[in-house]
Amino acid sequence: MIKKFKLYFLLATVVFSATSCLDKMPEDSIPFDESIQTVSDVNQAVIGIYAAFKSSALYSGNLTLLPDLQTDFVYGIKENTNIYGDIWRWKDILSTNKSIEAVYAALYNVINRCNFLLDRVDRVRKITTDDNDLDKIEQYCGETYFARALAYSELVKLFCKAYEDDDDAADQLGVVLTEHYQGDEVMKRASLKDSYEFILKDLDRAAELLALDKDYDPSLDGALYNNATYFNEYTVYALRARVALYMRKWDEAIKYSSKVIDSNYYLLSSCTNNISSDVSYYKYMWTNDLSTEIIFKVGFTVNSYGGRLGEIFFNYDYTSFRPDYVPATWVINSYNNNDLRVSTFFQSYTTGYSHHLSWPLLIKYFGNETFYNAKILHVSMPKVLRLSEQYLIRAEAYVQKEQPDYGRAGKDITAIRTARYTTYGGSTALSAANAMEVIEAERVKELYMEGFRLHDLKRWHKGFERKPQDQSLDSGDRLKVEADDPLFVWPIPQHELDAPGSQVEPNESNK
């Protein structure tokens, strides 16, 4: 076990890749039996796992954008490029959708990389005698188990129904679980209950292997938030809290979110304290991808990065702005006058279209300044896990548990608002009558366009409605979706259903 928080940085790239759960080994890769023979090889494989998360089908693109585009957060604008138009129109989402196929394949790519390493690492461990190298192997395995859990957690969110309780989940379809890279595992969906249990098992392993030493000192060993591109013990707890929330395990959600919050290893970024002239610590998180509240982000450099999260909100060509999607009016109007997230997230521009729409555009993803200076537009490092989400998880769990604690939930909402508002005096009064309404609204304002909306509406069993706004596309701007519509669960890609030997069962949205 790693006794201090150490990062074994690597400059190599992995030598294998995968594009779907049924197509694992590319022709130009090293044969399975000849790969991963040294600690350095293990190291390279882990770097490959981290690199897989850079895919534009994942957090720097589809996985973040599509669940929010699909709902009521944005409007397609007239004369746009129609990118993701089928997703936005809702009713046109099919099992052959290339964007959804890409997400599915990219997540199983991560899983296949993890399985590849885990199947080979024991051989390396047996021939390794140096204690420091053995420590490295343990850390690498912890990172791998976490990566696999993270990928599976996204698959169940997207392709499965909401988790209601253990009995119901035992009868619901989960995802295809593969624990080995080479084997004769049946390509069949496990139950939703078994799928979540698999995730929890991996998280337990990761927590043990990534545990910090009891005398860990951030001032001496390095602050965790300064190494947010790597997994650690508290990254595990953060995901565990999210998974517990989705499983409606309220006490577990409180337990694990509290581990993160109460550790004081991460701190909410202030909207009122500035890191430089006119740039708050909170804004700096979005303009420069650095913050005390980022628990895990996908690490990019100007020479190695993924998708362009902000492109569809600007399409800036150094001359004009031609956004494909603009924020929904109701979202902008939901913020309090003292809420500085508004000026951090939105800024009004006149677009370059013939209709010259002037609208508050989403500057949250305009792009990292370093990348912009290198003439790389609209690229930001995806912030997969943040401290503010942990406060929101704990607040919701407090009010949903059998004996609600509205006082503690109110303190968590107050903590977020104190960091985000110009001034926020007193406390947040919650009761049975308003608690979930307040928490749901706060999730909208804090997590806007970070990929949570579809899943939140699904687990809350709520629908939504779009009404036309200025220059919005006619095909999609009049839409009413009822609670529990089949398309809250994405269709399983058709090629997975049609693959030779496949026993994968479809979702209702496939029909």
Side-chain angles (χ1 to χ4, degrees):
M1 182 182 297
I2 299 300
K3 294 302 180 183
K4 289 285 185 184
F5 180 71
K6 300 176 183 177
L7 297 176
Y8 300 105
F9 295 92
L10 295 157
L11 300 177
T13 56
V14 75
V15 294
F16 60 90
S17 178
T19 55
S20 78
C21 67
L22 299 177
D23 179 20
K24 296 179 178 178
M25 182 69 77
E27 294 179 358
D28 62 350
S29 64
I30 295 175
F32 182 81
D33 288 338
E34 299 176 19
S35 64
I36 309 187
Q37 300 188 54
T38 67
V39 176
S40 179
D41 293 339
V42 177
N43 227 350
Q44 292 181 29
V46 174
I47 287 295
I49 291 168
Y50 279 110
F53 284 112
K54 293 183 181 181
S55 168
S56 61
L58 297 180
Y59 296 108
S60 60
N62 298 7
L63 183 59
T64 296
L65 297 174
L66 301 191
D68 286 352
L69 288 177
Q70 191 178 332
T71 60
D72 53 352
F73 269 5
V74 296
Y75 279 76
I77 189 173
K78 289 180 179 177
E79 300 183 33
N80 78 0
T81 66
N82 195 40
I83 186 171
Y84 304 134
D86 43 5
I87 298 290
W88 185 68
R89 290 189 294 273
W90 185 279
K91 58 183 175 61
D92 292 337
I93 297 173
L94 304 174
S95 60
T96 53
N97 184 282
K98 297 301 182 184
S99 299
I100 289 176
E101 287 179 350
V103 174
Y104 192 90
L107 288 170
Y108 273 108
N109 178 27
V110 172
I111 291 164
N112 288 332
R113 287 172 183 251
C114 294
N115 290 343
F116 189 96
L117 170 57
L118 293 171
D119 278 354
R120 304 301 295 157
V121 73
D122 278 347
R123 183 175 67 174
V124 180
R125 186 183 286 112
K126 288 177 182 177
I127 63 174
T128 301
T129 57
D130 182 84
D131 287 344
N132 189 51
D133 282 344
L134 287 170
D135 277 354
K136 290 179 181 181
I137 291 174
E138 294 303 285
Q139 178 173 316
Y140 300 150
C141 287
E143 291 170 291
T144 302
Y145 282 122
F146 178 83
R148 189 168 70 178
L150 179 59
Y152 271 125
S153 75
E154 299 295 355
L155 283 166
V156 296
K157 277 165 53 182
L158 294 164
F159 295 97
C160 302
K161 291 184 176 180
Y163 199 106
E164 301 300 331
D165 55 55
D166 292 347
D167 290 339
D168 178 76
D171 294 329
Q172 299 295 340
L173 287 171
V175 295
V176 177
L177 297 175
T178 61
E179 196 168 4
H180 299 285
Y181 186 82
Q182 281 195 332
D184 55 358
E185 296 168 303
V186 178
M187 291 297 101
K188 183 177 182 179
R189 296 173 71 178
S191 72
L192 183 57
K193 185 174 185 291
D194 287 345
S195 298
Y196 269 107
E197 286 181 350
F198 189 96
I199 293 166
L200 295 178
K201 183 179 178 182
D202 271 358
L203 289 176
D204 284 341
R205 290 166 169 164
E208 179 182 357
L209 295 171
L210 296 176
L212 302 184
D213 192 81
K214 291 181 180 179
D215 63 355
Y216 164 71
D217 184 346
S219 65
L220 298 176
D221 303 313
L224 295 186
Y225 55 75
N226 285 336
N227 295 301
T229 54
Y230 295 90
F231 308 140
N232 64 66
E233 178 183 353
Y234 288 84
T235 317
V236 179
Y237 296 150
L239 180 58
R240 185 70 182 261
R242 180 191 290 174
V243 169
L245 182 77
Y246 288 166
M247 293 180 72
R248 303 177 66 84
K249 306 289 188 181
W250 313 124
D251 288 336
E252 291 287 292
I254 292 168
K255 173 184 175 181
Y256 287 101
S257 59
S258 294
K259 281 180 178 287
V260 179
I261 295 167
D262 297 343
S263 72
N264 292 320
Y265 292 148
Y266 304 93
L267 303 170
L268 290 173
S269 297
S270 172
C271 282
T272 54
N273 295 329
N274 290 348
I275 192 170
S276 61
S277 179
D278 298 325
V279 179
S280 71
Y281 282 96
Y282 186 65
K283 185 172 184 178
Y284 195 76
M285 176 166 62
W286 303 107
T287 59
N288 294 78
D289 298 325
L290 294 172
S291 170
T292 58
E293 73 173 65
I294 299 174
I295 301 169
F296 171 62
K297 65 183 177 184
V298 181
F300 289 172
T301 70
V302 293
N303 297 313
S304 179
Y305 55 89
R308 301 171 187 263
L309 275 175
E311 189 166 48
I312 63 172
F313 304 112
F314 275 97
N315 289 318
Y316 182 49
D317 61 1
Y318 297 99
T319 302
S320 65
F321 306 102
R322 300 173 69 87
D324 294 296
Y325 295 92
V326 298
T329 302
W330 76 268
V331 172
I332 298 171
N333 290 343
S334 70
Y335 291 88
N336 183 281
N337 289 336
N338 287 330
D339 197 330
L340 294 173
R341 285 174 293 195
V342 176
S343 58
T344 303
F345 289 176
F346 311 105
Q347 186 171 333
S348 292
Y349 292 89
T350 299
T351 65
Y353 293 112
S354 61
H355 49 68
H356 302 300
L357 176 70
S358 182
W359 202 264
L361 304 185
L362 185 66
I363 60 171
K364 181 178 185 177
Y365 295 142
F366 188 79
N368 182 299
E369 288 183 348
T370 300
F371 288 73
Y372 183 85
N373 292 336
K375 300 190 182 303
I376 301 170
L377 301 182
H378 309 320
V379 172
S380 301
M381 298 186 206
K383 297 145 195 67
V384 180
L385 295 164
R386 288 197 293 123
L387 183 62
S388 60
E389 185 202 356
Q390 297 299 302
Y391 278 100
L392 289 165
I393 287 170
R394 191 167 71 173
E396 184 173 345
Y398 274 138
V399 304
Q400 292 279 26
K401 61 186 296 189
E402 187 174 350
Q403 295 182 329
D405 193 330
Y406 298 112
R408 288 184 177 178
K411 288 180 180 179
D412 283 340
I413 300 301
T414 296
I416 295 173
R417 291 180 175 177
T418 299
R420 308 304 191 228
Y421 281 34
T422 306
T423 58
Y424 191 75
S427 59
T428 305
L430 298 182
S431 66
N434 76 339
M436 279 307 299
E437 180 181 350
V438 171
I439 291 167
E440 289 172 15
E442 202 65 34
R443 285 184 70 88
V444 169
K445 291 180 284 187
E446 178 63 23
L447 304 175
Y448 180 69
M449 289 310 304
E450 294 183 47
F452 291 93
R453 182 63 170 170
L454 184 72
H455 315 304
D456 284 346
L457 291 173
K458 177 171 67 175
R459 64 190 181 82
W460 293 331
H461 298 284
K462 290 193 171 186
F464 66 89
E465 185 173 6
R466 295 188 200 138
K467 295 181 180 179
Q469 61 184 43
D470 192 10
Q471 299 301 325
S472 57
L473 289 170
D474 294 337
S475 55
D477 67 359
R478 295 170 178 82
L479 179 69
K480 185 173 183 179
V481 174
E482 300 295 338
D484 303 318
D485 184 287
L487 282 170
F488 276 108
V489 180
W490 282 359
I492 300 295
Q494 192 63 41
H495 66 75
E496 293 295 294
L497 304 177
D498 296 340
S502 172
Q503 298 180 41
V504 178
E505 298 174 69
N507 287 325
E508 290 179 53
S509 53
N510 283 86
K511 302 170 184 176

